Amino acid sequence: MSSSFKQMMDKFGLPRLTIVLFLVALMIVATVNRLPTSMLLSNSLVRIGMNGVMVLAMVPSVQSGAGLNFGLSIGIIAGLIGMLVVMEFNLAGLLGLIVALLIACVLGAAAGYLYGQVLNRVRGQEMMIGTYTGFSIVSGMCMFWLLAPFRNPEMIWVVGGKGLRMTLAVDDSLAKILDNLWRFEILGVEIPVGLLLAFAFACLLLEVFFRSRFGVSMKVAGANPAFATSCGVNVDKMRVLGTVLSTALGAMGMVIYCQSFGYVQLYMAPLMMSFPAVAAVLIGGASARKATVWNAVLGTVLFQTLLTIALPVTRSVIQGDISEVAKTIISNCMILYALTRKEGDG
Amino acid sequence: MDNKWVLQIKNVSKEYEGNSVLRGVSLSVKPGEIHALVGENGAGKSTLMNILFGMPVIHETGGFTGEVWLKGKKAEIESPKHAMEAGIGMVHQEFMLLPGFSVAENVKLNREPTKSNWFSKVSGRRLETLDLHKMGADTRRALDRIEMDIDEWLPLVGMPVGHRQFIEIAREIDKMDLSVLVLDEPTAVLTETEASTLLSVLKKLADSGIGVLFISHRLEEVCEIADTVTVLRDGEAIATMPTTETKLETIAEMMVGRKINRPKAAESGRTTDAGNVLEIRDLCVEMPGEYVNGANLTVRRGEILGLGGLAGHGKLGIANGIMGLYPSSGTLICDGEEIPLNNAQAALDAGLVFLSEDRRGVGLLLDESIEDNIALATMISKKKFLKRIGPLPVSILDRKSIREHAVDMISLLEIKCTGPQQSVSRLSGGNQQKVCVAKAITMEPRVLLVSEPTRGIDVGAKERVLSMIRRLNREKGITVVVISSELQELRSMCDRIAIMYKGRICGILDPDAPDAEFGLCMAGEGGSPSV
Ligand SMILES: Nc1ncnc2c1ncn2[C@@H]1O[C@H](COP(=O)(O)OP(=O)(O)OP(=O)(O)O)[C@@H](O)[C@H]1O
Ligand SMILES: [Mg+2]
């Protein structure tokens, strides 16, 4: 009995246990300080649903052996373009969302294919090259945002009449469309059912994929290329497909993020967006060589709850707004910790 | 009393996750003594050696109890570095070499000879230049001592396992202040001639006063060169005795606790004339260290064909080339149909299945469970072990049938494990080999190519694996090509034996041909060059 409990704890891992205990402590402090806990919980749920798919995007890239996808910004940009097209044509409601997701998926897959080819040439250094590729594409796209043929006056700079604005508000007919779908309230906590269902559906699809013959081949190619080759698996192709899947998921994740956030941020905004996603999956117990859907789900829940709850609580204890700084510090520390620790522990 | 023993292991016990794998083991080695350690797969031999060498696995899993004494003093060995400084050299069961580096760099790793230069005079030894010349020369000397004529600057990547074994040994004997040399199954991948070279090197080392502790499943060589033998069974040292006072059969019985039937040679040497199942013409394979240069060979339907030869002459290259694992050229015809080379899928589709000699590199997914290792290759290449999700046109892994199959295999091959979900990295070397065998059988091959099938498997299990291969051949009509460095093994089960020399088939012999003929063939002379 006690040994099986110990085994369960071992499986869950010390870092995650620490975070859970920390969260519990924070909740207690929050209640004691009379912070609106139900609102904190509602916010956490929204942020989990909003970021979940982007975290999930890390899974195929790690499984196929290409490491953590630090170049996720490529997919994010594809997602932004999907949003922009829908906004340009004033497509509203669920239809708008679906069109945005489709465009994001196609563009993301295409970009992921090219990116995957690049990664196959730089074996063993995927994560470093990915970071730089991501950075340079974000910078390169700044030009595109200025020159892109978008005409909707809501979207372009008022002065000069050309080039997309820095931050675009998503039209009310599209914003929070998933959040509000089947939404209900219980004990003061708002449950964004549609948003969470979308995340759950993505998890389910990916989980099924990784149990199919194709998904298992991809996993095997990542785990031991020589083994995979001897089973007739084309390892290079699997790595490209892993990257395609990851980038397409990143793109669709971004569409979900934007509709929930209510704004589309362009120019340098996507620059660092891959880092919180990487951090989340690592918190969930993944490593650069192994990541599961479960890691992504657990990581998203822990990371986003931590961010949502920790900040108001610290703010109630020490004055001042440290949210952005804290987020950066937490995610970078997590990445450093996870990449330097030895395989297997943690 | 001081110099009576170079090494004493006193009452050592070790547990892995609550399973006790060593129980109060004691053992002593005199200077100049060759001490053999034998025991079944999973008896705890490698674990004992890992303790002696301070391997991290031991400390990460809770350490051990008991004491290790070196030259009469109690030693606290916390890391391999400590062990090396204390004069212990170790050749591991699984290779510990850096594939990206050259032979010399591997031999001299962490002990590189250096020259002082301008910088180092200022800031100390760490910045001295590598003395490449001395590095090469030292390595050459170590390689010469084990009679190995391989270029010391060749990169290690892709080198055949047989060569790697010798390089590991070269690395250990290059250490000047060696007092105990520990070898975990050093001869498992070597042919008899190579093994006897190695054994004579060990004898010489022992004569110079070094204590040698070695593990082997080849009991013949244990009886031949060891002075003392210790038998380990289920984690307990059940006997220690001088080899002069015992017989091979007694040792084998003590190991497994029952009588062993040695494989009978009676069934080998059949002639079949059911046509050819495989024709290999002008096959060239670029497998580093095992090049094949225009080999011609036909395999008859339903036979067991042996493929022998010294390491480096291409016996491994043939199978690896056919299976599309290394770049190759030539013609391969299976049942009258030409199969494209350099295409693993095509070879698998034609029903060829390969059990690789490189079990950790190619054969296993180390972090995965036993059941997955057995089933996944078949699932991927033969689309088995899949089931539909309800009415949807999507198939996913059928965990239940994978589990059942693994349980069958575990009992069939007597794989010693805690269950089908145990990770294969936690298995002993011989049990990992059994998992590889299970994986190959699961593929239901038409032609089974097995490379070193009994590498690291104990006497009892060896008989089981060989008789299983024989049964597959007899009952299911599977044609088998056995590639082995153990001539004795080939002769006991094959119908014909092809011997390779310098990348070609030098001759095909009858299993009962006299030893001299095999010897000549392996040296590139004699034999009938017919195919
Ligand atoms: N890292 C590990 N974690 C858990 N159990 C282990 C680990 N390594 C070995 N074992 C277990 O310890 C036992 C002894 O293993 P060991 O490797 O010492 O066997 P061995 O005598 O060297 O066998 P072989 O002849 O097959 O090499 C085995 O039952 C094995 O499953
Ligand atoms: Mg062993």
Side-chain angles (χ1 to χ4, degrees):
Chain A
M1 166 66 198
S2 75
S3 90
S4 76
F5 178 72
K6 191 177 165 292
Q7 262 177 12
M8 241 174 66
M9 285 291 80
D10 279 352
K11 226 176 164 183
F12 196 63
L14 193 63
R16 278 161 291 292
L17 198 63
T18 332
I19 292 175
V20 169
L21 292 178
F22 186 54
L23 278 176
V24 171
L26 282 175
M27 283 310 271
I28 294 171
V29 176
T31 338
V32 170
N33 282 3
R34 292 178 188 286
L35 290 176
T37 34
S38 55
M39 199 189 82
L40 290 182
L41 280 180
S42 311
N43 285 350
S44 309
L45 286 179
V46 170
R47 296 188 65 150
I48 290 168
M50 196 167 151
N51 288 280
V53 179
M54 272 193 278
V55 179
L56 214 51
M58 290 298 154
V59 178
S61 125
V62 171
Q63 293 282 40
S64 68
L68 294 157
N69 190 355
F70 279 94
L72 193 68
S73 357
I74 297 171
I76 288 175
I77 287 171
L80 289 177
I81 296 179
M83 271 317 264
L84 290 176
V85 172
V86 170
M87 286 159 71
E88 166 82 12
F89 294 107
N90 281 324
L91 291 176
L94 221 45
L95 174 74
L97 181 76
I98 290 171
V99 173
L101 283 174
L102 278 180
I103 296 174
C105 181
V106 170
L107 281 181
Y113 180 76
L114 298 177
Y115 177 47
Q117 306 284 344
V118 174
L119 288 187
N120 265 348
R121 307 237 158 97
V122 294
R123 290 223 165 174
Q125 301 168 310
E126 290 91 350
M127 295 201 270
M128 199 176 61
I129 302 284
T131 312
Y132 288 121
T133 316
F135 282 177
S136 34
I137 290 197
V138 169
S139 314
M141 286 306 282
C142 288
M143 212 93 82
F144 175 79
W145 304 133
L146 276 178
L147 301 175
F150 289 102
R151 296 277 171 268
N152 192 331
E154 300 273 301
M155 294 160 69
I156 54 182
W157 292 112
V158 187
V159 190
K162 259 185 106 182
L164 291 159
R165 296 183 201 172
M166 203 74 112
T167 304
L168 319 176
V170 179
D171 191 72
D172 281 347
S173 66
L174 191 59
K176 300 211 186 291
I177 182 114
L178 276 178
D179 299 47
N180 293 332
L181 189 66
W182 302 319
R183 171 194 204 112
F184 68 90
E185 201 184 299
I186 183 169
L187 300 173
V189 182
E190 302 232 350
I191 318 274
V193 178
L195 189 65
L196 293 180
L197 271 184
F199 178 36
F201 185 64
C203 290
L204 184 73
L205 276 190
L206 205 60
E207 187 59 34
V208 168
F209 172 74
F210 277 117
R211 284 178 196 204
S212 71
R213 175 170 167 261
F214 198 72
V216 172
S217 309
M218 182 180 283
K219 255 199 302 206
V220 168
N224 182 351
F227 184 103
T229 310
S230 77
C231 297
V233 174
N234 184 337
V235 176
D236 282 352
K237 206 170 103 191
M238 283 301 164
R239 286 164 47 102
V240 173
L241 284 171
T243 316
V244 166
L245 212 57
S246 170
T247 315
L249 272 175
M252 294 193 283
M254 191 60 198
V255 170
I256 294 176
Y257 180 91
C258 286
Q259 64 84 30
S260 181
F261 187 46
Y263 295 95
V264 175
Q265 293 179 300
L266 302 177
Y267 299 93
M268 295 314 265
L271 191 67
M272 303 306 271
M273 282 193 81
S274 53
F275 287 78
V278 171
V281 75
L282 291 176
I283 289 182
S287 71
R289 292 180 42 79
K290 221 169 172 166
T292 59
V293 172
W294 167 242
N295 292 144
V297 173
L298 185 63
T300 314
V301 171
L302 291 180
F303 187 58
Q304 294 301 338
T305 326
L306 191 66
L307 285 181
T308 345
I309 298 182
L311 303 177
V313 172
T314 41
R315 212 180 306 153
S316 74
V317 180
I318 47 170
Q319 305 301 319
D321 188 353
I322 50 162
S323 55
E324 266 314 301
V325 181
K327 183 170 150 191
T328 317
I329 292 178
I330 295 180
S331 41
N332 288 335
C333 285
M334 201 56 221
I335 293 174
L336 263 185
Y337 161 73
L339 295 183
T340 48
R341 82 184 171 183
K342 270 174 58 196
E343 273 318 299
D345 27 312
Chain B
M1 183 71 207
D2 201 12
N3 272 337
K4 186 151 187 302
W5 306 107
V6 271
L7 169 71
Q8 284 165 290
I9 293 172
K10 295 184 180 175
N11 205 16
V12 164
S13 304
K14 164 79 191 154
E15 278 190 3
Y16 277 122
E17 294 155 12
N19 295 335
S20 90
V21 293
L22 288 175
R23 265 163 289 172
V25 173
S26 301
L27 176 151
S28 311
V29 183
K30 284 189 216 129
E33 180 189 51
I34 299 186
H35 196 118
L37 188 61
V38 299
E40 267 189 304
N41 292 132
K45 305 178 295 296
S46 301
T47 307
L48 188 60
M49 299 305 109
N50 287 341
I51 288 174
L52 195 54
F53 204 58
M55 293 298 285
V57 255
I58 301 296
H59 298 286
E60 281 161 14
T61 52
F64 65 100
T65 59
E67 294 175 357
V68 175
W69 290 55
L70 285 169
K71 294 188 190 150
K73 278 202 266 331
K74 185 162 185 281
E76 297 290 342
I77 303 169
E78 269 148 30
S79 68
K81 190 158 176 281
H82 273 161
M84 271 189 253
E85 282 161 4
I88 303 178
M90 172 126 177
V91 176
H92 292 272
Q93 183 168 17
E94 312 296 345
F95 300 113
M96 302 249 170
L97 298 168
L98 300 175
F101 289 70
S102 71
V103 174
E105 283 164 323
N106 267 295
V107 168
K108 284 301 205 178
L109 191 72
N110 272 333
R111 305 175 294 109
E112 295 89 351
T114 48
K115 283 192 288 221
S116 64
N117 63 17
W118 197 83
F119 278 114
S120 66
K121 285 195 185 115
V122 186
S123 57
R125 231 190 89 80
R126 283 183 154 263
L127 282 183
E128 288 182 350
T129 327
L130 287 187
D131 185 348
L132 289 181
H133 183 72
K134 184 163 182 320
M135 238 170 108
D138 283 359
T139 309
R140 187 71 266 153
R141 181 150 20 87
L143 289 174
D144 285 344
R145 251 173 103 184
I146 52 175
E147 295 169 30
M148 181 133 168
D149 56 357
I150 184 169
D151 186 343
E152 63 268 27
W153 292 113
L154 229 61
L156 208 72
V157 59
M159 248 185 217
V161 280
H163 285 182
R164 294 188 186 198
Q165 188 70 71
F166 269 101
I167 294 163
E168 286 235 351
I169 294 162
R171 182 188 67 207
E172 298 310 315
I173 61 179
D174 182 56
K175 292 174 183 163
M176 285 305 159
D177 44 6
L178 197 65
S179 62
V180 187
L181 178 60
V182 179
L183 304 105
D184 197 346
E185 298 187 26
T187 53
V189 289
L190 306 181
T191 58
E192 275 88 346
T193 28
E194 290 159 336
S196 66
T197 316
L198 176 73
L199 296 180
S200 66
V201 171
L202 290 187
K203 265 227 151 64
K204 264 192 263 166
L205 284 174
D207 289 342
S208 68
I210 293 174
V212 177
L213 183 56
F214 89 108
I215 296 176
S216 175
H217 287 297
R218 294 191 183 173
L219 299 180
E220 295 85 356
E221 68 190 28
V222 168
C223 292
E224 187 190 321
I225 77 152
D227 303 307
T228 322
V229 52
T230 294
V231 182
L232 215 56
R233 182 160 86 210
D234 283 335
E236 281 173 73
I238 55 165
T240 296
M241 57 213 161
T243 42
T244 44
E245 287 170 24
T246 182
K247 284 203 315 271
L248 195 154
E249 284 75 15
T250 332
I251 300 176
E253 271 168 45
M254 284 179 132
M255 273 170 61
V256 289
R258 62 185 160 92
K259 261 197 138 44
I260 297 280
N261 304 315
R262 312 214 74 217
K264 298 185 289 278
E267 290 182 86
S268 60
R270 300 163 306 164
T271 41
T272 49
D273 36 32
N276 297 334
V277 61
L278 211 58
E279 279 177 55
I280 300 166
R281 291 202 209 114
D282 295 321
L283 183 72
C284 295
V285 183
E286 279 178 47
M287 178 173 174
E290 283 276 342
Y291 288 100
V292 180
N293 303 314
N296 287 296
L297 184 68
T298 49
V299 183
R300 297 181 193 145
R301 190 183 318 281
E303 75 170 343
I304 301 184
L305 175 72
L307 201 52
L310 299 182
H313 286 274
K315 66 175 185 297
L316 301 178
I318 291 213
N320 279 287
I322 291 177
M323 297 308 292
L325 301 183
Y326 286 90
S328 40
S329 63
T331 318
L332 176 65
I333 296 168
C334 182
D335 261 341
E337 258 178 67
E338 184 164 348
I339 298 173
L341 287 168
N342 303 311
N343 183 342
Q345 188 62 52
L348 290 166
D349 287 345
L352 307 182
V353 167
F354 177 43
L355 170 62
S356 171
E357 68 287 342
D358 187 2
R359 64 169 170 249
R360 286 170 82 95
V362 181
L364 295 173
L365 296 167
L366 280 176
D367 292 332
E368 304 298 331
S369 61
I370 297 174
E371 55 183 17
D372 281 359
N373 269 282
I374 293 178
L376 290 192
T378 308
M379 190 280 291
I380 292 174
S381 58
K382 302 269 149 79
K383 304 192 178 71
K384 296 242 177 75
F385 299 114
L386 289 168
K387 63 161 191 228
R388 284 286 170 90
I389 328 179
L392 298 177
V394 189
S395 309
I396 57 167
L397 287 185
D398 183 2
R399 285 264 147 231
K400 189 159 155 273
S401 69
I402 291 179
R403 176 77 39 90
E404 284 167 2
H405 180 73
V407 170
D408 285 351
M409 281 296 165
I410 288 170
S411 66
L412 184 66
L413 291 168
E414 292 188 351
I415 299 174
K416 194 176 167 192
C417 60
T418 55
Q421 281 169 293
Q422 195 178 15
S423 141
V424 288
S425 61
R426 301 260 162 99
L427 294 181
S428 80
N431 286 302
Q432 289 179 345
Q433 181 70 26
K434 292 184 200 168
V435 172
C436 291
V437 172
K439 170 186 144 191
I441 298 173
T442 305
M443 303 265 271
E444 295 184 348
R446 178 145 64 145
V447 180
L448 178 63
L449 303 141
V450 284
S451 198
E452 310 286 1
T454 59
R455 173 179 171 212
I457 290 190
D458 68 52
V459 270
K462 193 169 191 163
E463 161 207 25
R464 193 180 312 276
V465 168
L466 293 182
S467 71
M468 170 129 115
I469 292 177
R470 211 177 283 134
R471 213 172 55 234
L472 284 176
N473 173 260
R474 302 293 133 94
E475 286 167 15
K476 298 206 171 158
I478 297 173
T479 311
V480 183
V481 178
V482 189
I483 300 146
S484 173
S485 39
E486 250 179 287
L487 193 53
Q488 212 41 55
E489 185 173 297
L490 293 178
R491 292 173 90 169
S492 74
M493 65 183 309
C494 296
D495 303 315
R496 299 184 301 151
I497 299 173
I499 301 290
M500 295 210 47
Y501 179 74
K502 292 213 166 150
R504 284 164 205 266
I505 306 288
C506 174
I508 294 184
L509 299 170
D510 220 47
D512 340 297
D515 284 347
E517 233 174 282
F518 278 101
L520 277 178
C521 227
M522 287 195 189
E525 293 155 40
S528 52
S530 70
V531 276

PDB file of all heavy atoms in Angstrom, chain A residues 292-310:
ATOM      1  N   THR A 292       4.742  13.643 -23.674  1.00  0.00           N
ATOM      2  CA  THR A 292       3.471  12.996 -23.977  1.00  0.00           C
ATOM      3  C   THR A 292       2.358  14.026 -23.897  1.00  0.00           C
ATOM      4  O   THR A 292       2.566  15.136 -23.395  1.00  0.00           O
ATOM      5  CB  THR A 292       3.173  11.891 -22.951  1.00  0.00           C
ATOM      6  OG1 THR A 292       3.138  12.503 -21.657  1.00  0.00           O
ATOM      7  CG2 THR A 292       4.236  10.819 -22.957  1.00  0.00           C
ATOM      8  N   VAL A 293       1.191  13.643 -24.387  1.00  0.00           N
ATOM      9  CA  VAL A 293       0.038  14.525 -24.302  1.00  0.00           C
ATOM     10  C   VAL A 293      -0.246  14.862 -22.832  1.00  0.00           C
ATOM     11  O   VAL A 293      -0.521  15.997 -22.479  1.00  0.00           O
ATOM     12  CB  VAL A 293      -1.181  13.844 -24.951  1.00  0.00           C
ATOM     13  CG1 VAL A 293      -2.444  14.644 -24.700  1.00  0.00           C
ATOM     14  CG2 VAL A 293      -0.941  13.673 -26.437  1.00  0.00           C
ATOM     15  N   TRP A 294      -0.085  13.859 -21.998  1.00  0.00           N
ATOM     16  CA  TRP A 294      -0.291  14.052 -20.558  1.00  0.00           C
ATOM     17  C   TRP A 294       0.648  15.128 -20.023  1.00  0.00           C
ATOM     18  O   TRP A 294       0.243  16.006 -19.254  1.00  0.00           O
ATOM     19  CB  TRP A 294      -0.112  12.716 -19.849  1.00  0.00           C
ATOM     20  CG  TRP A 294       0.014  12.794 -18.361  1.00  0.00           C
ATOM     21  CD1 TRP A 294       1.089  12.410 -17.617  1.00  0.00           C
ATOM     22  CD2 TRP A 294      -0.960  13.275 -17.438  1.00  0.00           C
ATOM     23  NE1 TRP A 294       0.837  12.619 -16.291  1.00  0.00           N
ATOM     24  CE2 TRP A 294      -0.415  13.160 -16.143  1.00  0.00           C
ATOM     25  CE3 TRP A 294      -2.242  13.809 -17.566  1.00  0.00           C
ATOM     26  CZ2 TRP A 294      -1.100  13.543 -15.004  1.00  0.00           C
ATOM     27  CZ3 TRP A 294      -2.927  14.198 -16.426  1.00  0.00           C
ATOM     28  CH2 TRP A 294      -2.360  14.063 -15.165  1.00  0.00           C
ATOM     29  N   ASN A 295       1.914  15.092 -20.426  1.00  0.00           N
ATOM     30  CA  ASN A 295       2.865  16.123 -19.994  1.00  0.00           C
ATOM     31  C   ASN A 295       2.356  17.508 -20.378  1.00  0.00           C
ATOM     32  O   ASN A 295       2.438  18.460 -19.596  1.00  0.00           O
ATOM     33  CB  ASN A 295       4.242  15.935 -20.658  1.00  0.00           C
ATOM     34  CG  ASN A 295       4.951  14.689 -20.186  1.00  0.00           C
ATOM     35  OD1 ASN A 295       5.635  14.041 -20.963  1.00  0.00           O
ATOM     36  ND2 ASN A 295       4.793  14.340 -18.920  1.00  0.00           N
ATOM     37  N   ALA A 296       1.838  17.617 -21.600  1.00  0.00           N
ATOM     38  CA  ALA A 296       1.372  18.917 -22.075  1.00  0.00           C
ATOM     39  C   ALA A 296       0.175  19.391 -21.257  1.00  0.00           C
ATOM     40  O   ALA A 296       0.117  20.552 -20.832  1.00  0.00           O
ATOM     41  CB  ALA A 296       1.012  18.836 -23.555  1.00  0.00           C
ATOM     42  N   VAL A 297      -0.771  18.476 -21.008  1.00  0.00           N
ATOM     43  CA  VAL A 297      -1.970  18.869 -20.261  1.00  0.00           C
ATOM     44  C   VAL A 297      -1.591  19.284 -18.837  1.00  0.00           C
ATOM     45  O   VAL A 297      -1.907  20.383 -18.371  1.00  0.00           O
ATOM     46  CB  VAL A 297      -2.982  17.704 -20.211  1.00  0.00           C
ATOM     47  CG1 VAL A 297      -4.144  18.049 -19.311  1.00  0.00           C
ATOM     48  CG2 VAL A 297      -3.456  17.388 -21.614  1.00  0.00           C
ATOM     49  N   LEU A 298      -0.851  18.398 -18.178  1.00  0.00           N
ATOM     50  CA  LEU A 298      -0.463  18.677 -16.796  1.00  0.00           C
ATOM     51  C   LEU A 298       0.341  19.976 -16.721  1.00  0.00           C
ATOM     52  O   LEU A 298       0.112  20.827 -15.852  1.00  0.00           O
ATOM     53  CB  LEU A 298       0.370  17.502 -16.278  1.00  0.00           C
ATOM     54  CG  LEU A 298       0.777  17.555 -14.822  1.00  0.00           C
ATOM     55  CD1 LEU A 298      -0.474  17.514 -13.955  1.00  0.00           C
ATOM     56  CD2 LEU A 298       1.673  16.390 -14.478  1.00  0.00           C
ATOM     57  N   GLY A 299       1.288  20.122 -17.653  1.00  0.00           N
ATOM     58  CA  GLY A 299       2.146  21.308 -17.662  1.00  0.00           C
ATOM     59  C   GLY A 299       1.336  22.572 -17.859  1.00  0.00           C
ATOM     60  O   GLY A 299       1.547  23.565 -17.158  1.00  0.00           O
ATOM     61  N   THR A 300       0.393  22.535 -18.794  1.00  0.00           N
ATOM     62  CA  THR A 300      -0.416  23.732 -19.037  1.00  0.00           C
ATOM     63  C   THR A 300      -1.205  24.091 -17.786  1.00  0.00           C
ATOM     64  O   THR A 300      -1.237  25.246 -17.369  1.00  0.00           O
ATOM     65  CB  THR A 300      -1.414  23.477 -20.185  1.00  0.00           C
ATOM     66  OG1 THR A 300      -0.724  22.842 -21.246  1.00  0.00           O
ATOM     67  CG2 THR A 300      -2.006  24.767 -20.682  1.00  0.00           C
ATOM     68  N   VAL A 301      -1.836  23.091 -17.202  1.00  0.00           N
ATOM     69  CA  VAL A 301      -2.645  23.356 -16.020  1.00  0.00           C
ATOM     70  C   VAL A 301      -1.790  23.974 -14.918  1.00  0.00           C
ATOM     71  O   VAL A 301      -2.118  25.034 -14.364  1.00  0.00           O
ATOM     72  CB  VAL A 301      -3.326  22.056 -15.521  1.00  0.00           C
ATOM     73  CG1 VAL A 301      -3.985  22.274 -14.180  1.00  0.00           C
ATOM     74  CG2 VAL A 301      -4.343  21.577 -16.546  1.00  0.00           C
ATOM     75  N   LEU A 302      -0.655  23.354 -14.636  1.00  0.00           N
ATOM     76  CA  LEU A 302       0.177  23.850 -13.534  1.00  0.00           C
ATOM     77  C   LEU A 302       0.730  25.242 -13.843  1.00  0.00           C
ATOM     78  O   LEU A 302       0.636  26.161 -13.035  1.00  0.00           O
ATOM     79  CB  LEU A 302       1.329  22.879 -13.271  1.00  0.00           C
ATOM     80  CG  LEU A 302       0.949  21.526 -12.673  1.00  0.00           C
ATOM     81  CD1 LEU A 302       2.177  20.677 -12.464  1.00  0.00           C
ATOM     82  CD2 LEU A 302       0.222  21.722 -11.358  1.00  0.00           C
ATOM     83  N   PHE A 303       1.283  25.403 -15.020  1.00  0.00           N
ATOM     84  CA  PHE A 303       1.958  26.653 -15.372  1.00  0.00           C
ATOM     85  C   PHE A 303       0.970  27.815 -15.402  1.00  0.00           C
ATOM     86  O   PHE A 303       1.215  28.871 -14.809  1.00  0.00           O
ATOM     87  CB  PHE A 303       2.629  26.476 -16.736  1.00  0.00           C
ATOM     88  CG  PHE A 303       3.503  27.618 -17.158  1.00  0.00           C
ATOM     89  CD1 PHE A 303       4.578  28.027 -16.391  1.00  0.00           C
ATOM     90  CD2 PHE A 303       3.260  28.270 -18.360  1.00  0.00           C
ATOM     91  CE1 PHE A 303       5.392  29.069 -16.797  1.00  0.00           C
ATOM     92  CE2 PHE A 303       4.074  29.316 -18.769  1.00  0.00           C
ATOM     93  CZ  PHE A 303       5.138  29.719 -17.994  1.00  0.00           C
ATOM     94  N   GLN A 304      -0.165  27.608 -16.089  1.00  0.00           N
ATOM     95  CA  GLN A 304      -1.108  28.716 -16.224  1.00  0.00           C
ATOM     96  C   GLN A 304      -1.789  29.040 -14.896  1.00  0.00           C
ATOM     97  O   GLN A 304      -1.990  30.204 -14.579  1.00  0.00           O
ATOM     98  CB  GLN A 304      -2.150  28.399 -17.303  1.00  0.00           C
ATOM     99  CG  GLN A 304      -1.565  28.290 -18.708  1.00  0.00           C
ATOM    100  CD  GLN A 304      -0.855  29.551 -19.161  1.00  0.00           C
ATOM    101  OE1 GLN A 304      -1.106  30.640 -18.647  1.00  0.00           O
ATOM    102  NE2 GLN A 304       0.068  29.402 -20.096  1.00  0.00           N
ATOM    103  N   THR A 305      -2.113  28.025 -14.108  1.00  0.00           N
ATOM    104  CA  THR A 305      -2.702  28.307 -12.802  1.00  0.00           C
ATOM    105  C   THR A 305      -1.701  29.071 -11.944  1.00  0.00           C
ATOM    106  O   THR A 305      -2.040  30.040 -11.268  1.00  0.00           O
ATOM    107  CB  THR A 305      -3.090  26.997 -12.075  1.00  0.00           C
ATOM    108  OG1 THR A 305      -3.518  26.061 -13.044  1.00  0.00           O
ATOM    109  CG2 THR A 305      -4.174  27.227 -11.082  1.00  0.00           C
ATOM    110  N   LEU A 306      -0.475  28.632 -12.008  1.00  0.00           N
ATOM    111  CA  LEU A 306       0.570  29.300 -11.235  1.00  0.00           C
ATOM    112  C   LEU A 306       0.640  30.776 -11.609  1.00  0.00           C
ATOM    113  O   LEU A 306       0.630  31.654 -10.743  1.00  0.00           O
ATOM    114  CB  LEU A 306       1.903  28.612 -11.522  1.00  0.00           C
ATOM    115  CG  LEU A 306       3.060  29.000 -10.627  1.00  0.00           C
ATOM    116  CD1 LEU A 306       2.788  28.533  -9.220  1.00  0.00           C
ATOM    117  CD2 LEU A 306       4.345  28.385 -11.141  1.00  0.00           C
ATOM    118  N   LEU A 307       0.677  31.030 -12.929  1.00  0.00           N
ATOM    119  CA  LEU A 307       0.783  32.422 -13.365  1.00  0.00           C
ATOM    120  C   LEU A 307      -0.435  33.231 -12.934  1.00  0.00           C
ATOM    121  O   LEU A 307      -0.298  34.351 -12.448  1.00  0.00           O
ATOM    122  CB  LEU A 307       0.920  32.485 -14.889  1.00  0.00           C
ATOM    123  CG  LEU A 307       2.277  32.097 -15.445  1.00  0.00           C
ATOM    124  CD1 LEU A 307       2.280  32.216 -16.949  1.00  0.00           C
ATOM    125  CD2 LEU A 307       3.356  32.993 -14.853  1.00  0.00           C
ATOM    126  N   THR A 308      -1.625  32.653 -13.103  1.00  0.00           N
ATOM    127  CA  THR A 308      -2.824  33.436 -12.784  1.00  0.00           C
ATOM    128  C   THR A 308      -2.961  33.671 -11.297  1.00  0.00           C
ATOM    129  O   THR A 308      -3.342  34.755 -10.874  1.00  0.00           O
ATOM    130  CB  THR A 308      -4.101  32.706 -13.269  1.00  0.00           C
ATOM    131  OG1 THR A 308      -3.738  31.682 -14.174  1.00  0.00           O
ATOM    132  CG2 THR A 308      -5.054  33.649 -13.905  1.00  0.00           C
ATOM    133  N   ILE A 309      -2.662  32.656 -10.506  1.00  0.00           N
ATOM    134  CA  ILE A 309      -2.896  32.820  -9.075  1.00  0.00           C
ATOM    135  C   ILE A 309      -1.736  33.520  -8.382  1.00  0.00           C
ATOM    136  O   ILE A 309      -1.931  34.399  -7.546  1.00  0.00           O
ATOM    137  CB  ILE A 309      -3.159  31.445  -8.417  1.00  0.00           C
ATOM    138  CG1 ILE A 309      -4.422  30.846  -9.025  1.00  0.00           C
ATOM    139  CG2 ILE A 309      -3.319  31.587  -6.922  1.00  0.00           C
ATOM    140  CD1 ILE A 309      -4.794  29.528  -8.426  1.00  0.00           C
ATOM    141  N   ALA A 310      -0.514  33.136  -8.790  1.00  0.00           N
ATOM    142  CA  ALA A 310       0.645  33.661  -8.064  1.00  0.00           C
ATOM    143  C   ALA A 310       0.713  35.177  -8.146  1.00  0.00           C
ATOM    144  O   ALA A 310       1.028  35.847  -7.167  1.00  0.00           O
ATOM    145  CB  ALA A 310       1.918  33.053  -8.610  1.00  0.00           C
TER     146      ALA A 310
END
